[in-house]
Amino acid sequence: MDINRIHRKRFVTVVTTAAVLILAVFLISLNLGSYPLSPAETLKTLFGRGSDEASLVLFSFRLPRMVLALLVGAGLAVSGAILQGVAQNELAEPGIIGINAGAGLAVVLFIYFFEGAMGEMGAFSIFAMPFFALSGALLAAFFIYILAWKQGISPVRLILVGIAVNAGFNAMLIVFQLRMEPNDFMQAMVWLSGSIWGANWSFVLSVLPWIALLIPVTLIKAKHLNVLSLGDSIATGLGTRVEKERRVLLVAAVALAGACVAVAGGIAFLGLVAPHLARRLVGPMHHYLIPTSVAIGALLLLSADTIGKNLLAPSEIPVGLVVSALGAPYFIYLLMKTNG
């Protein structure tokens, strides 16, 4: 009982601290950019008393981009937490094992084959892209699951097969990119590196239902993740239908990653770093780990976007590159620790 109380107290402290930091970064990011606003101007604009220029910048460009960063950060973090629990491996992450690459390939194919019709479809194309991304992510997950299966799923085999599938999908991505027009090629390159530049409220509305539905489902399944983390034999002995629960959780992780990739491109390492930091802060119990991952993922991506759009202003660094620059050293550290 005392241990549970300690974990609960630590969880409340960590999530509260992360929420305060998110609010602070959010307020700072509202004022920064190529069109800087003073805190007084921002406050007046939020209450409908600002200039037309300030209202346009704040409500049409800055706010949707920041809200999207929070949603995508939360979604990728939970996807990574699920994959790490199911694979029983701290190195599992949708960008590393090929889920993001599968989703990205499906979206690129959608753009490549339906580019002419996208203008006619208008906002519908934005809402259709998460479904295409989901189909690509599910295809990647299917290949990984089938190829990794050998009288059960070995965590090490799952990671190795995922890395191979990731390489294969990335090769196919390059083939289709090379067949694109130069402008489309550059746009695809920026998007695939992870970018929420140009986001609007349609992007937010297209990903919001996926986040709002799948994160609560994951929280409901947290007890199964706790059991799966103990290993298949123990989980079976405790009465868990291992393969059924694993498939349900994998679909949730894949759907979250696919929806996020559809609107923000291939942001790697966030699904690795956020759950791992959460695990170190609140422990391995997923009913604490998942909400903490949500808070940390949202904080990391919002901070990375703030850095990316202001570090070399007026030029912008894609947020995925900022996350990779921060996450790659941490991945190398985890890899060395695991091998050691």
Side-chain angles (χ1 to χ4, degrees):
M1 184 64 70
D2 290 337
I3 295 176
N4 287 333
R5 190 179 298 115
I6 291 171
H7 279 291
R8 192 181 305 113
K9 184 177 180 180
R10 186 184 301 171
F11 164 72
V12 172
T13 301
V14 170
V15 171
T16 303
T17 302
V20 171
L21 290 174
I22 288 172
L23 180 61
V25 175
F26 195 91
L27 293 175
I28 292 170
S29 189
L30 276 178
N31 300 311
L32 297 178
S34 56
Y35 186 92
L37 296 171
S38 67
E41 285 179 299
T42 301
L43 192 62
K44 286 171 60 178
T45 306
L46 288 174
F47 284 96
R49 298 171 55 193
S51 64
D52 292 339
E53 293 83 358
S55 297
L56 178 66
V57 169
L58 206 61
F59 292 109
S60 297
F61 298 105
R62 211 162 282 179
L63 273 174
R65 174 175 178 163
M66 293 162 61
V67 172
L68 188 65
L70 293 173
L71 292 174
V72 171
L76 289 176
V78 173
S79 179
I82 296 171
L83 291 174
Q84 289 174 19
V86 168
Q88 303 160 34
N89 194 316
E90 294 180 352
L91 300 179
E93 193 262 345
I96 294 172
I97 67 171
I99 304 299
N100 285 2
L105 176 61
V107 173
V108 167
L109 290 175
F110 174 72
I111 295 171
Y112 181 79
F113 287 109
F114 298 99
E115 178 187 3
M118 285 179 67
E120 300 176 7
M121 290 190 289
F124 174 76
S125 65
I126 297 173
F127 289 91
M129 284 206 305
F131 291 96
F132 278 85
L134 174 60
S135 64
L138 284 173
L139 181 62
F142 174 77
F143 279 129
I144 294 166
Y145 195 86
I146 293 298
L147 294 173
W149 176 269
K150 189 177 181 182
Q151 297 178 342
I153 297 291
S154 164
V156 175
R157 192 185 305 119
L158 186 70
I159 297 297
L160 293 176
V161 170
I163 292 172
V165 170
N166 186 40
F169 275 106
N170 279 320
M172 294 177 67
L173 271 169
I174 293 173
V175 170
F176 280 98
Q177 283 179 265
L178 292 174
R179 296 175 62 88
M180 289 179 168
E181 296 295 327
N183 289 339
D184 295 332
F185 174 80
M186 292 305 298
Q187 183 180 1
M189 281 293 292
V190 172
W191 176 77
L192 287 170
S193 65
S195 175
I196 53 178
W197 182 86
N200 55 48
W201 290 113
S202 295
F203 284 80
V204 173
L205 292 175
S206 70
V207 76
L208 179 60
W210 300 81
I211 303 296
L213 174 65
L214 292 172
I215 289 181
V217 168
T218 306
L219 283 170
I220 293 171
K221 293 286 185 179
K223 61 181 181 180
H224 296 295
L225 271 172
N226 290 336
V227 176
L228 288 174
S229 299
L230 300 175
D232 289 4
S233 58
I234 297 177
T236 303
L238 292 173
T240 299
R241 290 182 287 183
V242 173
E243 292 307 322
K244 178 187 174 182
E245 295 300 335
R246 180 178 280 137
R247 291 189 197 103
V248 171
L249 288 164
L250 279 174
V251 168
V254 166
L256 282 169
C260 292
V261 169
V263 296
I267 299 175
F269 295 114
L270 183 64
L272 172 79
V273 175
H276 196 269
L277 291 176
R279 191 175 293 106
R280 292 176 68 91
L281 289 171
V282 300
M285 301 301 289
H286 284 83
H287 51 280
Y288 294 139
L289 175 64
I290 290 170
T292 307
S293 297
V294 167
I296 293 176
L299 175 61
L300 288 177
L301 195 59
L302 181 62
S303 302
D305 183 53
T306 303
I307 292 170
K309 73 179 182 181
N310 292 290
L311 188 63
L312 299 178
S315 299
E316 291 195 11
I317 305 172
V319 66
L321 297 183
V322 179
V323 174
S324 295
L326 299 174
Y330 196 73
F331 175 70
I332 294 171
Y333 159 74
L334 286 179
L335 195 61
M336 293 174 63
K337 181 181 175 183
T338 302
N339 288 338

